[in-house]
Amino acid sequence: MLNLVEISARELGMLKLMADFFAEKPELTAKIESYTTAYYALVTTYSENFGIPQEEAWKVFEDLQKKINQAEYVHVTAPAPLKKTLPLPREEVNMLRVLIDYFSESPKMSPAGSFLTKRPENLAEIYHWFYGSNGNGNGEVSREILQTLIDKLQTTMSIKMETLAPVFITPNPYEAALKQLDIAAAKLNLEPCVHEILKRPMRAFIVNFPVIMDDGSTRVFTGYRVQYNDALGPTKGGLRYHPELTLDEVTALAAWMTWKTAVTGLPLGGGKGGIRCNPKEMSKGELERLTRGYARAMAKFIGPFTDVPAPDVYTTAEMMAWIMDEYSEIAGYPAFGVVTGKPISVGGSLGRNEATSRGLMYTVMEAAKHLGIELKGASVAVQGYGNVGYNAARLLHDMGCKIIAVSDSKGGVHNSNGLDPKKVFEHKDKTGSVVDYPDSTFITNAQLLELECDILVPAAMENQITEANAVKIKAKIVAEGANGPVRPEADDILYKNGVFDIPDILANSGGVIVSYFEQVQNQMNFYWTEKEVRERLQNTITKAFKDVLAMSLQHNVNMRDAAYMLAVKRVADAMLARKGKTIVPAENTIVEA
Ligand code: NAD
């Protein structure tokens, strides 16, 4: 399967140096005639130009050579004003291999060895000799290919490659997901065989499918779909477009969806999917062909009664409509229920847009009740001012809370007398950031987290509250709008300091709850009013909160551990009820596969 690899700044510098050797007007390598081999000339000049010791320069070359030899596709970013990342045609990728081989310590392509010559004709000859007519290799054509490649290498801002070699990401999110499962399993005294089954996804699909790009080339993309567990019902979970997506990441996200749907008491399992691609560099037409291609490739494995995708990072309601349309063509009927998060005009649910924040608000109401905090006038700080953060600030403000600080990626604003969330949003809409909102002072994101306040809503990114700053959190309630904003090491510190943390799988589950409502409405082909959606959301999430709180009090554990315990127990009970003795051996001994 294809993995994306970016070449480092040092490697890019070395490639530019190689291009400079053969440029019409070399700048960096003008006076190198005295060296005998290309390899030695490259490493020495690189070391001199960039002030890097020769041993390190060798290492840079070796890493670069490995990446280029493993590359299936190479993409170079054009300079401003275009700035677009464009794929190198096959012959230029081959020429790149010739170039790197020419500079290697023991070249394999050049029949004449690698004695230093700065004449482009020599490189063109090697290309011609090695790739022959299959490589469009008459001498003149080879010269042109080399020249185009050199121009591109000299001007490019960055280079990315797609490779079939496996890529390992650390820390691995799947390992983190397994640790959380292990903690819950130990506290629950979980059946060992059930624990063993829950460590792995039930099914994982990898598809490779072609997409015609705007420039007429065909690119093959890799898509994933993981159905982690369906003991409680059809699997459900978002679809993510990201250039560094891995199967392990999708698997971890699918495991988290399993716990999220279980903790909220929905009759659904957990799944997740995605495509390795960079949506920021693709046109709308390319994105539509990509999305439809994925839908066709996955059509056999998803469906209203089996597995229902939804939007996630860089996927939109419009894309869900394309998937629904493509699937419907294959199924032969308008299968609105195959995805959720659709536009209202094609089976989307009212109230979906603000559902995550509204659900968060209901959990905050319950937490405040439990802790005896009066919400009228309670002070709130919100990190992140996107869909979740803005709507949470707006809804809490409507309830009478005082929003004393909000932030986005550029920084935050603070006013202890309170901010008007809608006006701050208008300011952000106009200027691109909440920063510089009138009647406020600037604070950093780190300062916002440590403010004296009743409620803190981290609604931006993961890993915001860590072992380092947990002790400085003064909020009475932390409601996790984002996924994973609190590091596991910070959990215990918050708990010991009496900070009541509502974990992400509960606090931000409003989105998946209303997604489930969308599925139900699609299946009934009968649609609810916004009021009905809100009431049902409140009932569902309030019950979930009470269940988690009861577990937390009963076992004397924090709300996150309680949420995981409840979720794992519900899934395990369903598995045992469905499979019974077919999965529990008499002696209860499991042999690792
Ligand atoms: P969004 O893209 O609409 O908004 C993200 C906000 O975070 C933006 O205001 C951005 O400026 C800010 N931000 C980015 N980097 C930041 C940084 N380093 N410091 C401070 N602020 C930063 O995204 P969203 O849909 O609001 O999602 C936010 C979080 O909530 C994510 O973790 C997402 O996975 C999670 N979540 C979203 C939903 C949903 O329905 N949208 C559901 C569940 C969980």
Side-chain angles (χ1 to χ4, degrees), residues 240 260 312-313 352-353 356 383-389 407-410 428 445 459-462 464 481-483 508-509 511:
R240 176 171 289 203
K260 194 181 277 196
D312 191 68
V313 175
R352 173 67 182 83
N353 193 40
T356 303
Q383 186 197 40
Y385 217 55
N387 180 306
V388 179
S407 70
D408 57 33
S409 57
K410 301 203 173 104
K428 181 176 162 72
N445 268 289
M461 315 255 304
E462 60 278 10
Q464 294 303 295
N483 284 317
N508 70 31
S509 63

Side-chain angles (χ1 to χ4, degrees), residues 181-192:
L181 170 67
D182 290 348
I183 293 170
K187 290 196 163 131
L188 285 169
N189 227 351
L190 192 68
E191 274 297 343

Side-chain angles (χ1 to χ4, degrees), residues 164-314:
L164 286 167
V167 170
F168 300 99
I169 290 182
T170 45
N172 185 327
Y174 182 30
E175 280 171 17
L178 290 181
K179 268 189 207 141
Q180 285 163 336
L181 170 67
D182 290 348
I183 293 170
K187 290 196 163 131
L188 285 169
N189 227 351
L190 192 68
E191 274 297 343
C193 63
V194 173
H195 187 185
E196 216 47 51
I197 295 168
L198 287 177
K199 284 182 191 171
R200 296 164 182 84
M202 176 181 69
R203 292 184 205 104
F205 301 99
I206 302 173
V207 291
N208 291 296
F209 57 99
V211 176
I212 309 250
M213 307 303 279
D214 289 348
D215 66 1
S217 66
T218 301
R219 280 197 57 197
V220 179
F221 288 88
T222 301
Y224 308 102
R225 187 74 196 165
V226 173
Q227 297 165 355
Y228 200 88
N229 185 289
D230 70 352
L232 287 166
T235 47
K236 175 102 197 78
L239 186 61
R240 176 171 289 203
Y241 289 180
H242 200 273
E244 277 143 37
L245 195 70
T246 63
L247 184 58
D248 274 0
E249 184 183 345
V250 179
T251 306
L253 292 164
W256 282 317
M257 280 308 296
T258 305
W259 314 135
K260 194 181 277 196
T261 52
V263 84
T264 43
L266 299 178
L268 297 174
K272 202 83 182 188
I275 305 176
R276 273 185 87 89
C277 66
N278 192 344
K280 287 186 186 167
E281 290 168 357
M282 296 173 74
S283 70
K284 193 160 175 195
E286 287 172 339
L287 284 171
E288 177 165 357
R289 295 191 288 280
L290 175 88
T291 306
R292 288 184 183 275
Y294 177 86
R296 283 194 301 276
M298 285 293 177
K300 281 196 195 76
F301 315 120
I302 59 172
F305 301 102
T306 50
D307 181 23
V308 180
D312 191 68
V313 175
Y314 294 133

Side-chain angles (χ1 to χ4, degrees), residues 8 19 51 72 128 173 235 276 287 317 368 375 400 403 426 467 469 484 494 514 551 556 573-574 576:
S8 67
E72 294 293 318
H128 182 51
T235 47
R276 273 185 87 89
L287 284 171
L375 279 182
I403 312 301
E426 283 163 19
E467 199 173 13
N469 65 356
L494 294 181
V514 176
M551 185 69 118
N556 205 15
D573 286 351
L576 290 169

